[in-house]
Amino acid sequence: MRDAVTTLIRTYDNTGRYLDQNALNSIKSYFDSGLDRVKAAAVISANASEIVKAAGSQLFEQVPELIRPGGNAYTTRRYAACLRDMDYYLRYGSYALVAGNSDVLDERVLTGLRETYNSLGVPIGSTVIGIQIMKEIVKAKVAEAGVTDASVVEAPFDYMSRELSELSV
Ligand code: PEB
């Protein structure tokens, strides 16, 4: 599991180079956005269950067939599994946010996920809609907390969405 700094050091160490201007710029931007990352993570931690609940309601409003008979989130067991998955995306997203790196998402969430979803019939398109809804809710809450640069918050959710919808392993 790596963060922005360890990833960079690893790259430079692999070729025995000192950190050059590119490296220093990228480390600087990581530290410059550090306070925003920490604030955003604090907002997520303090509001996690509310965020998941709100995102679930919006998802089922937007894609109501998910909770109708035959839908993948129909029956309370699957409804609960869906909210639990959303909670995983939020929690791991908050780790990646603090790390400034998506490695934790690859390692702990995304590897094998498509295959699992495909074999269970979990619709990937709707899952991505759910992740995007959660991103918007988090962005709004984080903005209320005074973080002006929303891109920091977007990155992990967009990464999960992209990888989940496009990666064919
Ligand atoms: C991934 N999700 C499900 C399962 C697994 C995951 C491994 C099968 C085992 C189980 O039910 O626990 N697990 C999950 C994850 C991590 C992990 C992300 C990362 C650490 O360990 N159904 C929908 C929605 C969507 C959904 C679109 C957004 O209609 C999710 C929520 N996931 C969903 C559902 C199931 C599931 C399982 C409904 C249950 C499917 C079933 O058993 O039929």
Side-chain angles (χ1 to χ4, degrees):
M1 214 187 303
R2 282 180 268 136
D3 60 32
V5 177
T6 54
T7 301
L8 194 86
I9 290 173
R10 184 190 171 104
T11 306
Y12 279 74
D13 186 40
N14 278 342
T15 46
R17 283 179 296 156
Y18 279 91
L19 299 174
D20 57 19
Q21 201 55 49
N22 280 343
L24 296 172
N25 287 342
S26 110
I27 293 185
K28 185 170 181 305
S29 100
Y30 173 66
F31 286 122
D32 284 348
S33 58
L35 200 55
D36 281 353
R37 294 172 195 283
V38 172
K39 274 192 204 160
V43 168
I44 294 176
S45 302
N47 298 283
S49 58
E50 183 197 329
I51 294 168
V52 169
K53 201 173 151 206
S57 308
Q58 282 186 42
L59 173 65
F60 297 136
E61 222 168 86
Q62 213 168 308
V63 195
E65 56 272 27
L66 291 174
I67 47 171
R68 291 197 189 120
N72 189 261
Y74 179 68
T75 74
T76 46
R77 181 187 68 78
R78 287 203 296 261
Y79 190 107
C82 181
L83 293 184
R84 181 216 51 200
D85 282 15
M86 299 274 274
D87 187 63
Y88 283 141
Y89 297 128
L90 184 62
R91 182 163 58 87
Y92 283 101
S94 78
Y95 298 160
L97 185 59
V98 168
N101 188 279
S102 51
D103 191 58
V104 63
L105 301 176
D106 288 329
E107 194 179 299
R108 299 290 165 92
V109 181
L110 295 165
T111 304
L113 186 60
R114 275 181 71 89
E115 292 81 348
T116 305
Y117 273 5
N118 286 335
S119 69
L120 289 167
V122 176
I124 287 175
S126 302
T127 303
V128 169
I129 293 174
I131 294 173
Q132 290 296 314
I133 289 172
M134 212 147 54
K135 176 181 85 174
E136 293 305 326
I137 295 174
V138 171
K139 268 169 67 179
K141 285 206 176 298
V142 165
E144 275 169 30
V147 174
T148 44
D149 182 7
S151 65
V152 159
V153 172
E154 287 172 351
F157 296 100
D158 286 344
Y159 184 82
M160 288 187 280
S161 300
R162 227 172 20 245
E163 292 297 304
L164 196 52
S165 42
E166 281 169 17
L167 249 194
S168 47
V169 187

